[in-house]
Amino acid sequence: MKIINSHKNVSLEYEEDLILKIESLAFKHYPNEFGGFLIGYYSDDLKTLVLTDVLSPNEYKSHRVLFERSAEGIKEKLLELFNLNEKRYYVGEWHSHPDASSMYSLTDLNAMQSIAESETIRIKNPILLIVSINNQKLKNYTFYLYDNNTLFEYGRK
Amino acid sequence: MATDKTQHLQQVLETHRMAHIEKLLDKYKEKRQEVKEALEENYKDKIYNPINSGSYAKHTAINIKFDLDIVVPFKRNSFDTLEEMFNDVFDFLYEKYKDVAEVRKQKVSIGIIFDADDNGDEINIDVVVGRELNQDQYTEDRNLNLFVNSQYGLLDEKTYIQTNIQAQIDHIKGKNNERSIIRLLKIWKTTNNESYKSFFLELITIKAFDKESISGNLWDKLKSVMEYIKENITKDNFTLKDPGNTNNDVADTLEDWEKANLSNKMSNMISNIENNSDNIKTYFPINEEFKEEEDENKGQYGLKDASIVAPSIPNKSQQFG
């Protein structure tokens, strides 16, 4: 799947299997929210981001309308991925919205701003994925690109 | 067409980033290291390790006006008086750099302005000379006494000032929202030739975030801080405690008429921008020098380190809703 962010004129690629994996993680925690770290790599010209996997947090708090993930232990895993022959990077975050839309909240925007401005984050445009689920199925999902305090939605070409 | 205030302010911040002047910054860092090593070599065990401070260490620097600061902590018994210490360091730096730089005494520091190089780049390094407050205690408490060379608000009768530069740096650590607003206010003051101290703008912004509920987009936040300044700066009991020494009230660096003036300026800025969004460009201009560079970055995912994809490591908990 390839989607486009028209604000930045960049694209995002991912396999349907990755969405199935995320869906399954989200269902496991339904009716509470759940989420984690998005992993991927950039094309040499930095025009395309390819999502390859997700990492789940070691520690988290999960509620119906709130998800808090810790960064405990994630450094080691990310450095391991960075040291692979085919380097993989932390590229953003995902979380579920049970029985709610895939629109981001102010809390989500603030979290992404804090992430992008952190000294240990070396990318300027982290990605946010929100998956909307109910007790039966994944209803919808939306990818956002963070740029300068704003989240911009990806869309089909 | 009306200007999107938040989008404009984002571009203002972007075009004033230090990352645009990486090569110049490298020259600064090189010079700073050279000065540090010269001081270490000359004063040997009279000093503790010099530390970096100032806006670059606090991540509030802007690329149109900045210097790099070094703090040199002397041991308690190194000199009999603070003035003697200050003058000795000045004499040493003057002798060492007089042929290649202007070395001058400033309020609490010694400024070295290196002559422009072949590319016309002038390098400014500020050396803050301090002496530990109590013998052998610096590594524990980081408290320093600085010699005051001229008037500093209420301290005009004093010849020294106690401070804790590490506490000042720690005071702003992790405050990303505050940093964006501080940088915008510094851009305003520099481009509009305002004389307010950066440290004053830094403390009042942090206090505004502490006292008020400040949220929303970048313009909302900037406006809230400007409103806080407008409403509070002229109040009799308003103080800005220096985190390096709570006995220092940085609000006192302004006379009453200057405070009233600042309050009026904030009020005018807010109403002029709200009445006509284009006015934001006058108060907070884009750095045209780097505008094109930003435009070129369209069509690419942005990296903070030139073209190198370095690993990003989330280092704190985050809440999503």
Side-chain angles (χ1 to χ4, degrees):
Chain A
M1 188 76 78
K2 182 173 181 170
I3 53 177
I4 304 289
N5 184 281
S6 55
H7 162 74
K8 207 58 181 149
N9 195 21
V10 290
S11 60
L12 177 68
E13 291 180 14
Y14 56 92
E15 298 289 335
E16 207 53 49
D17 282 355
L18 183 62
I19 300 298
L20 291 174
K21 181 174 178 179
I22 289 169
E23 183 183 357
S24 142
L25 286 166
F27 271 127
K28 209 189 274 181
H29 295 84
Y30 182 88
N32 288 340
E33 292 195 3
F34 187 66
F37 307 93
L38 293 173
I39 306 300
Y41 64 90
Y42 298 92
S43 61
D44 289 343
D45 60 9
L46 297 171
K47 287 177 186 299
T48 305
L49 168 59
V50 182
L51 292 182
T52 55
D53 206 354
V54 291
L55 279 182
S56 292
N58 292 338
E59 293 170 13
Y60 60 90
K61 288 175 193 160
S62 180
H63 307 276
R64 289 191 82 116
V65 289
L66 186 79
F67 170 69
E68 182 177 332
R69 62 109 182 108
S70 125
E72 201 55 46
I74 202 66
K75 181 178 178 182
E76 294 72 19
K77 287 183 187 172
L78 289 171
L79 287 177
E80 212 171 284
L81 290 169
F82 179 72
N83 289 326
L84 293 173
N85 281 342
E86 292 184 334
K87 291 182 193 307
R88 296 290 181 263
Y89 307 91
Y90 162 86
V91 296
E93 307 272 339
W94 78 272
H95 68 281
S96 60
H97 279 181
D99 302 314
S101 82
S102 60
M103 180 64 194
Y104 66 84
S105 65
L106 185 60
T107 312
D108 298 336
L109 175 61
N110 287 338
M112 294 307 287
Q113 184 188 5
S114 161
I115 289 165
E117 290 178 357
S118 161
E119 271 305 296
T120 60
I121 299 296
R122 306 312 301 164
I123 51 173
K124 282 160 76 177
N125 307 120
I127 303 302
L128 174 67
L129 164 64
I130 299 179
V131 296
S132 158
I133 56 166
N134 62 20
N135 61 352
Q136 290 172 336
K137 61 174 185 173
L138 182 146
K139 286 165 63 189
N140 189 13
Y141 62 89
T142 308
F143 280 100
Y144 299 92
L145 173 144
Y146 176 89
D147 192 29
N148 284 326
N149 303 320
T150 311
L151 285 165
F152 298 94
E153 196 176 327
Y154 284 81
R156 302 284 150 80
K157 212 170 185 178
Chain B
M1 207 173 81
T3 302
D4 180 323
K5 295 188 283 289
T6 287
Q7 212 171 2
H8 174 78
L9 292 174
Q10 282 158 1
Q11 209 179 358
V12 171
L13 286 176
E14 273 301 310
T15 55
H16 284 87
R17 280 173 57 229
M18 297 299 282
H20 289 295
I21 52 166
E22 230 167 308
K23 280 184 187 151
L24 177 62
L25 197 55
D26 284 346
K27 287 187 200 174
Y28 267 79
K29 286 179 182 168
E30 215 172 279
K31 277 284 181 224
R32 178 176 65 184
Q33 190 58 26
E34 184 192 315
V35 174
K36 250 190 203 178
E37 283 169 10
L39 289 163
E40 281 173 327
E41 170 72 28
N42 190 59
Y43 290 105
K44 297 195 169 71
D45 55 2
K46 279 187 171 179
I47 59 173
Y48 295 98
N49 286 342
I51 61 165
N52 301 332
S53 71
S55 62
Y56 188 68
K58 293 176 185 173
H59 303 288
T60 56
I62 52 174
N63 60 22
I64 44 174
K65 189 175 184 296
F66 73 99
D67 51 28
L68 290 190
D69 298 26
I70 310 170
V71 180
V72 190
F74 275 81
K75 293 185 178 170
R76 184 70 181 81
N77 56 4
S78 55
F79 288 96
D80 287 340
T81 67
L82 292 168
E83 187 169 12
E84 204 183 305
M85 169 188 76
F86 187 84
N87 287 333
D88 196 89
V89 176
F90 173 78
D91 291 343
F92 168 70
L93 292 172
Y94 181 80
E95 274 311 310
K96 185 156 181 68
Y97 294 115
K98 65 181 177 196
D99 296 331
V100 291
E102 181 196 340
V103 182
R104 63 183 187 197
K105 290 181 182 177
Q106 301 170 158
K107 277 182 193 170
V108 289
S109 64
I110 297 159
I112 314 174
I113 306 165
F114 288 93
D115 299 341
D117 64 11
D118 294 343
N119 294 322
D121 293 332
E122 234 179 35
I123 312 283
N124 297 341
I125 306 287
D126 265 7
V127 180
V128 179
V129 191
R131 190 177 70 182
E132 68 180 337
L133 196 61
N134 300 304
Q135 182 82 39
D136 301 329
Q137 284 294 301
Y138 173 74
T139 48
E140 298 285 317
D141 62 22
R142 306 276 170 179
N143 286 329
L144 291 173
N145 265 330
L146 311 181
F147 174 66
V148 177
N149 195 35
S150 58
Q151 187 182 344
Y152 178 74
L154 278 188
L155 300 164
D156 52 347
E157 288 162 19
K158 284 192 178 178
T159 54
Y160 70 91
I161 178 176
Q162 188 193 317
T163 194
N164 187 317
I165 285 155
Q166 195 56 50
Q168 290 175 346
I169 295 172
D170 292 345
H171 185 60
I172 194 170
K173 249 186 198 159
K175 295 187 166 127
N176 292 327
N177 281 319
E178 287 87 334
R179 275 192 194 127
S180 299
I181 305 303
I182 292 164
R183 289 182 67 233
L184 286 170
L185 291 175
K186 282 173 69 174
I187 291 163
W188 162 69
K189 102 170 176 120
T190 309
T191 54
N192 289 272
N193 296 318
E194 300 288 353
S195 57
Y196 306 103
K197 296 261 171 232
S198 296
F199 190 44
F200 169 86
L201 296 173
E202 178 183 319
L203 292 183
I204 202 163
T205 302
I206 293 172
K207 188 162 184 177
F209 272 85
D210 278 350
K211 298 286 175 192
E212 305 288 320
S213 162
I214 293 179
S215 61
N217 62 32
L218 196 51
W219 165 243
D220 294 335
K221 287 178 195 157
L222 174 63
K223 190 175 144 192
S224 300
V225 171
M226 291 200 296
E227 265 165 359
Y228 178 81
I229 298 173
K230 181 188 102 179
E231 298 296 336
N232 291 281
I233 188 63
T234 51
K235 285 184 181 164
D236 285 342
N237 57 355
F238 183 77
T239 58
L240 283 177
K241 296 281 165 61
D242 175 356
N245 177 358
T246 49
N247 290 325
N248 293 345
D249 181 4
V250 179
D252 280 336
T253 55
L254 295 186
E255 302 285 344
D256 285 349
W257 64 268
E258 290 174 304
K259 290 177 182 172
N261 220 347
L262 177 60
S263 175
N264 285 336
K265 276 180 192 165
M266 291 294 145
S267 174
N268 288 339
M269 268 159 71
I270 295 166
S271 58
N272 287 343
I273 293 170
E274 289 292 24
N275 288 339
N276 179 355
S277 56
D278 287 348
N279 285 332
I280 201 165
K281 295 175 182 172
T282 312
Y283 297 118
F284 301 94
I286 282 167
N287 185 350
E288 294 293 334
E289 196 180 341
F290 301 113
K291 189 170 179 288
E292 269 177 29
E293 213 168 295
E294 285 302 322
D295 292 344
E296 279 168 16
N297 287 340
K298 286 265 177 195
Q300 288 190 332
Y301 284 95
L303 304 176
K304 294 181 185 173
D305 310 279
S307 56
I308 306 157
V309 189
S312 293
I313 315 285
N315 63 351
K316 57 181 180 186
S317 298
Q318 292 294 345
Q319 273 191 357
F320 298 88

